[in-house]
Amino acid sequence: MNFLQTVLAFVVCLGSLVVFHELGHYLVARWCGVKVLRFSVGMGKVVWSRRFGPDQTEWALSALPLGGYVKMLDAREGELTGLSEADLKREFTRQNVWKRIAIVIAGPAANFLIAIVLFAGLFMHGIEEPSSKISVRSAGSVAAQAGLHSGDVITAVNDQPVQVWSELRWQFIQSAIDKHDIRLAVERAGQGRISATVPASAFTGLDLEGDVPSQLGVGVSRPAPVVHQVMPGSPAERAGLREGDLLIAVDGTPVADGIAFIDIIQASVGKTVQVELKRAGQPLALSVAPQAEQAKTGKGTVTVGKIGAYVALAPDMINVPSSPIAAIGKAVGKVWDTCTMTLKMIGKMITGEASLKNVTGPITIADYAGQTARMGAASYLSFIAFISISLGVMNLLPIPVLDGGHLLYYSLEVLTGRSVPERVGEIAQRLGMGLLLTLMLLAVFNDVARLL
């Protein structure tokens, strides 16, 4: 069932974004007076088509479901003999350079516009998510050294207001990429407003693919670790743990929340640990021996310790809806920030500052599509918006065969007054196709490596 849901979520996501991208090209081409011969969803052999409109444009579904294209009347793709003078005036290469630029840029622009619409809708509706109240994972973490405490509420990062965890995490990631200090405005119970700084030096060796706040020792604030269920016959029951017990420490190590407790128990396979707790306000210590069980992680199957006691893990959730005007402004800012961060990451991969493992392909995208679809409509729509931005940015890269490559040609034409020689264009197209295929192979390789 999950597999079918993942496939469906991937097809809906990518299919809809391809359609909107190509509609951008199509609508602006029509607006500029260029004759459109075919609008295809998918690549390769046409498997179904119908003709509509005054130009009898062919609307088609093609065999390969990845991608799509708009075929315009173009002298570079065939003979123009037999066409009327009116049709010849509507041929693509006979349009002035600014019209050609508008047609080419319309596809990526459509992707950015869709992302803005989706984000604006989500911001207006409001998304229930964890607040910016944090927990500090360990006394030796970067966060602890910066003076942060569990229970602190982060109200601003580098002078940018934050209310929810996703905004906080986004600012941490941007700071890690830019390698500049994180300046935090903090509300602390009993002390009011204070400030803290995470130095840029803390980002050295940080895995930008992973959870950046977690690597710095910052996590979502969760409820106190109170046992709410004990499984019959489990190590926890045999040790005497009961529902309602407040967990204080394990082997002398304080546990601020359920995640901290679980981390210690999972790492304690094959040994007996001393659990300090409070029961009805009275301190108590119990000895528990976690039993070994197999668990799946991102690095494969590992052996972890479990005791059969369950604690609450859900963080405090808040919903912050925005007015239409504010939502649109936040959406535009979100799209801009995502574009600049994507370009920075590409630049760091080119210079070797970031790993090429960050290049992902259709398998990873499909996996995330399925995961976000199962999480709910808000998560799935947010994922579609991010993928739409990625498609827009990737298509604007100055690689021949992509929209950005054509924009490069036309920009040179604006500067020099002459079009790029046909021979140069052909060589560039081959090089661009080779580079694109290399990137696709790298993406698929990374996808398979993650699965293994």
Side-chain angles (χ1 to χ4, degrees):
M1 185 64 181
N2 280 353
F3 175 75
L4 292 176
Q5 189 178 27
T6 295
V7 172
L8 181 61
F10 175 67
V11 170
V12 170
C13 171
L14 200 61
S16 60
L17 294 180
V18 166
V19 168
F20 282 117
H21 179 95
E22 298 304 333
L23 272 175
H25 290 310
Y26 171 80
L27 292 174
V28 175
R30 291 293 304 270
W31 178 65
C32 290
V34 176
K35 185 171 183 176
V36 179
L37 304 178
R38 177 185 293 160
F39 183 107
S40 175
V41 177
M43 308 291 286
K45 184 179 179 181
V46 173
V47 295
W48 177 91
S49 68
R50 290 290 185 276
R51 295 185 181 274
F52 300 101
D55 289 335
Q56 287 295 286
T57 300
E58 181 185 14
W59 296 78
L61 293 175
S62 298
L64 298 176
L66 298 177
Y69 63 93
V70 169
K71 182 179 181 181
M72 292 167 271
L73 185 63
D74 193 324
R76 297 166 299 182
E77 296 185 9
E79 295 291 333
L80 300 180
T81 55
L83 293 177
S84 65
E85 187 61 31
D87 277 346
L88 288 175
K89 289 181 180 179
R90 300 178 64 194
E91 189 264 332
F92 178 76
T93 62
R94 298 192 183 192
Q95 310 306 310
N96 69 59
V97 68
W98 295 110
K99 284 187 177 182
R100 282 176 275 146
I101 287 175
I103 292 168
V104 170
I105 207 171
N111 285 128
F112 299 139
L113 180 60
I114 289 300
I116 291 171
V117 170
L118 289 175
F119 279 135
L122 290 170
F123 288 140
M124 281 190 287
H125 178 270
I127 306 171
E128 191 174 69
E129 57 180 311
S131 70
S132 57
K133 187 176 182 180
I134 66 167
S135 65
V136 176
R137 291 297 178 214
S138 67
S141 66
V142 171
Q145 292 170 14
L148 294 173
H149 296 173
S150 291
D152 285 348
V153 178
I154 309 298
T155 58
V157 181
N158 294 330
D159 299 323
Q160 296 296 316
V162 296
Q163 291 179 288
V164 292
W165 177 255
S166 63
E167 294 173 345
L168 173 63
R169 181 176 180 273
W170 181 259
Q171 292 295 332
F172 270 58
I173 292 171
Q174 285 191 303
S175 297
I177 291 173
D178 293 339
K179 293 186 177 179
H180 60 62
D181 295 350
I182 303 177
R183 292 175 286 104
L184 303 170
V186 182
E187 289 287 344
R188 179 172 295 167
Q191 296 185 35
R193 189 181 180 88
I194 63 171
S195 61
T197 300
V198 176
S201 58
F203 304 132
T204 303
L206 210 63
D207 179 12
L208 298 179
E209 296 178 66
D211 186 344
V212 171
S214 178
Q215 294 175 72
L216 298 174
V218 177
V220 176
S221 178
R222 299 179 186 274
V226 176
V227 177
H228 70 84
Q229 185 180 7
V230 177
M231 299 301 293
S234 66
E237 185 187 53
R238 292 194 295 271
L241 276 173
R242 297 179 189 173
E243 183 177 339
D245 286 346
L246 172 61
L247 306 169
I248 304 299
V250 180
D251 282 344
T253 302
V255 289
D257 55 32
I259 294 292
F261 178 73
I262 290 171
D263 287 344
I264 296 174
I265 294 299
Q266 287 187 339
S268 301
V269 181
K271 64 179 183 179
T272 299
V273 297
Q274 194 81 0
V275 178
E276 299 172 38
L277 56 93
K278 281 188 178 181
R279 179 176 296 166
Q282 298 300 313
L284 184 65
L286 300 173
S287 296
V288 186
Q291 64 187 19
E293 292 189 17
Q294 298 297 306
K296 289 184 177 180
T297 70
K299 297 181 179 180
T301 302
V302 297
T303 302
V304 299
K306 292 190 178 182
I307 62 172
Y310 294 90
V311 294
L313 299 177
D316 293 333
M317 306 293 283
I318 62 172
N319 190 310
V320 187
S322 302
S323 68
I325 299 299
I328 292 172
K330 288 172 69 176
V332 171
K334 184 82 166 178
V335 171
W336 175 259
D337 287 344
T338 306
C339 288
T340 55
M341 190 179 77
T342 302
L343 290 171
K344 287 176 184 176
M345 281 297 296
I346 292 172
K348 288 182 180 297
M349 284 189 283
I350 292 173
T351 60
E353 293 182 67
S355 171
L356 291 175
K357 292 179 181 179
N358 288 287
V359 179
T360 58
I363 298 174
T364 297
I365 294 172
D367 181 36
Y368 288 160
Q371 289 183 39
T372 54
R374 288 187 286 273
M375 291 167 64
S379 295
Y380 183 55
L381 292 176
S382 182
F383 171 76
I384 291 177
F386 276 111
I387 295 299
S388 188
I389 296 169
S390 297
L391 287 175
V393 172
M394 291 301 295
N395 269 284
L396 285 176
L397 295 179
I399 300 175
V401 312
L402 295 180
D403 294 331
H406 295 294
L407 286 176
L408 177 61
Y409 298 157
Y410 302 147
S411 298
L412 292 173
E413 185 175 339
V414 170
L415 293 173
T416 64
R418 300 193 305 271
S419 60
V420 174
E422 187 174 337
R423 179 60 180 164
V424 173
E426 289 176 358
I427 295 172
Q429 289 287 98
R430 293 194 185 98
L431 292 173
M433 184 61 73
L435 178 58
L436 202 58
L437 287 173
T438 301
L439 288 174
M440 290 174 64
L441 289 172
L442 175 62
V444 172
F445 174 81
N446 286 342
D447 284 355
V448 174
R450 288 187 184 95
L451 287 178
L452 297 178

